[in-house]
Amino acid sequence: MASLYIKDPETAALADRLARRLGTTKTQIVRQALTALERSIPERPSKMALLAALDDWRKHHPLPPQSGQAADKAFFDAMWDDAD
């Protein structure tokens, strides 16, 4: 049988108070709290799901066509009107 030992006295006392107030066990209180926390945190998507979402996004947001210009220092200097 697995066990869970709560080392923090305040946390153990809180679990005990809630268990008594609700007429249940500390185990049930911890189970309910962990279940609620698990539900509140979304599952991490798989790598395949992320890649599929990225592929879908790329289909709906394609890159513009290439300009054919070289993206070198002269290109950026001309774009920013910054000649050395």
Side-chain angles (χ1 to χ4, degrees):
M1 178 163 106
S3 63
L4 174 66
Y5 175 67
I6 301 173
K7 295 178 185 178
D8 177 52
E10 289 180 37
T11 304
L14 175 60
D16 188 52
R17 283 194 310 273
L18 287 171
R20 278 188 275 122
R21 188 181 302 168
L22 296 173
T24 187
T25 65
K26 286 191 269 186
T27 300
Q28 188 59 30
I29 292 298
V30 171
R31 180 182 294 121
Q32 289 174 358
L34 292 174
T35 300
L37 181 60
E38 182 181 41
R39 282 191 208 123
S40 72
I41 300 171
E43 280 196 37
R44 185 175 175 189
S46 69
K47 183 177 179 181
M48 294 305 293
L50 289 173
L51 290 174
L54 183 58
D55 284 342
D56 185 57
W57 189 89
R58 286 179 179 160
K59 287 177 189 173
H60 290 92
H61 301 87
L63 292 173
Q66 293 186 1
S67 67
Q69 295 179 321
D72 56 7
K73 183 174 180 347
F75 170 79
F76 286 104
D77 285 347
M79 186 169 70
W80 293 104
D81 198 28
D82 185 32
D84 271 340

